């Protein structure tokens, strides 16, 4: 039986199984695959603590789903081992299906619409510092716009959302310096309005760690698991 929506909004966090050699591989070329996977596990822990907690702190604001790849991997036990708790029953787990990231995003955004959600937001898991307010702001923007996007400073994007569903990603080149602009242009060609969130950074390569360590120096309590992992990697002093 198809599960139906419980609210008007759903936030989906796109994740990969935290297996060395299968996640954060560009970062792994510099740090080693096991160390890169260790850091990514910390990202997931911080995001889970923050956003799963927000489901209770902001009742009715959004439902939460983890979307995972590879689709045959059972991601829920991975997450529960990282957090040390059973995931709340309200949190959904949705496999990513499709031959490439653009298709997988399209399928997830369509899934949100098909489940009965009025607004679907898909957020990456490469920016462990993202606050809950970013998701809340995205849903507010979707009250007045058809599409919402949050850019990262290398030209990609950390978040995309839609009111309803619009098939705008088919011809957008993913993982490029023009990906975010490609989304905006594709939406414009379809006559759709686009709202934009503040830009930020994500962690794909070793050089990206500088921005993260600078942020956590200033705000040490923001991402405790990530900060501890960076300390183990010798990137930050132990707290």
């Amino acid at each position: 039986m198809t599960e139906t929506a419980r609210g008007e909004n759903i936030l989906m966090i796109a994740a990969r199984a935290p297996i060395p050699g299968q996640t954060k591989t560009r970062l792994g070329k510099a740090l080693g695959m096991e160390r890169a996977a260790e850091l990514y596990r910390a990202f997931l822990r911080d995001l889970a603590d923050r956003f799963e907690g927000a489901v209770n702190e902001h009742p009715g604001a959004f439902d939460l789903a983890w979307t995972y790849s590879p689709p045959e991997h059972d991601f829920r036990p991975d997450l529960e081992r990282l957090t040390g708790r059973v995931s709340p029953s309200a949190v959904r787990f949705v496999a990513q299906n499709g031959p490439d990231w653009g298709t997988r995003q399209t399928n997830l955004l369509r899934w949100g619409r098909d489940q009965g959600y009025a607004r679907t937001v898909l957020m990456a898991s490469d920016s462990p510092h993202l606050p809950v307010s970013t998701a809340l702001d995205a849903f507010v923007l979707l009250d007045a716009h058809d599409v919402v996007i949050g850019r990262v400073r290398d030209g990609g994007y950390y978040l995309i959302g839609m009111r309803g569903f619009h098939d705008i990603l088919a011809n957008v080149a993913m993982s490029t310096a023009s990906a975010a602009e490609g989304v905006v242009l594709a939406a414009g060609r379809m006559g759709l309005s686009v709202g934009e969130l503040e830009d930020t950074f994500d962690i794909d390569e070793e050089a990206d760690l500088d921005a993260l360590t600078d942020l956590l120096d200033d705000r040490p309590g923001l991402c405790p698991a990530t900060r501890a992992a960076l300390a183990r990697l010798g990137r930050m002093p132990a707290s």
Side-chain angles (χ1 to χ4, degrees):
M1 180 180 295
T2 301
E3 201 173 350
T4 56
R6 303 160 194 171
E8 289 290 304
N9 303 324
I10 185 163
L11 172 67
M12 311 178 82
I13 302 177
R16 288 193 63 84
I19 300 170
Q22 296 188 33
T23 186
K24 308 310 296 175
T25 53
R26 278 190 283 170
L27 188 62
K29 290 175 182 177
L31 301 184
M33 294 300 175
E34 176 55 54
R35 287 185 158 202
E38 178 187 358
L39 184 58
Y40 183 63
R41 292 183 197 111
F43 290 4
L44 294 176
R45 169 67 187 271
D46 284 325
L47 290 168
D49 287 348
R50 191 176 307 126
F51 283 90
E52 288 186 356
V55 173
N56 293 324
E57 293 168 11
H58 302 273
F62 57 82
D63 293 349
L64 179 65
W66 289 92
T67 80
Y68 57 90
S69 178
E72 66 275 9
H73 187 86
D74 191 357
F75 180 74
R76 182 194 287 265
D78 283 344
L79 193 66
E80 292 179 347
R81 280 192 293 270
L82 290 173
T83 61
R85 63 175 183 271
V86 175
S87 295
S89 59
V91 175
R92 307 173 76 169
F93 288 82
V94 184
Q96 298 174 23
N97 289 295
D100 55 69
W101 179 222
T103 303
R104 293 195 292 272
Q105 287 178 85
T106 296
N107 290 339
L108 291 168
L109 292 163
R110 184 186 289 113
W111 178 90
R113 189 277 312 275
D114 290 348
Q115 291 289 299
Y117 290 100
R119 290 165 289 273
T120 301
V121 167
L122 177 62
M123 187 181 84
S125 53
D126 300 318
S127 302
H129 56 284
L130 287 175
V132 173
S133 60
T134 295
L136 298 175
D137 289 346
F139 290 118
V140 169
L141 283 171
L142 286 174
D143 285 335
H145 298 86
D146 302 300
V147 176
V148 64
I149 192 169
R151 303 181 189 236
V152 289
R153 293 166 192 164
D154 64 2
Y157 54 94
Y158 65 90
L159 179 149
I160 184 170
M162 296 179 181
R163 186 173 58 194
F165 172 74
H166 309 282
D167 192 3
I168 62 175
L169 299 179
N171 296 312
V172 176
M174 296 296 156
S175 302
T176 67
S178 62
E181 193 59 27
V183 171
V184 173
L185 291 173
R189 285 192 294 269
M190 294 179 66
L192 303 172
S193 60
V194 180
E196 297 216 24
L197 296 161
E198 287 188 26
D199 67 358
T200 190
F201 60 91
D202 60 0
I203 309 300
D204 283 327
E205 300 180 352
E206 185 178 19
D208 299 326
L209 292 175
D210 292 340
L212 183 59
T213 55
D214 287 347
L215 176 63
L216 298 185
D217 270 337
D218 291 338
R219 300 178 62 188
L222 180 61
C223 300
T226 298
R227 196 178 195 285
L230 289 167
R232 290 193 295 273
L233 295 175
R235 295 276 170 166
M236 297 193 74
S239 55

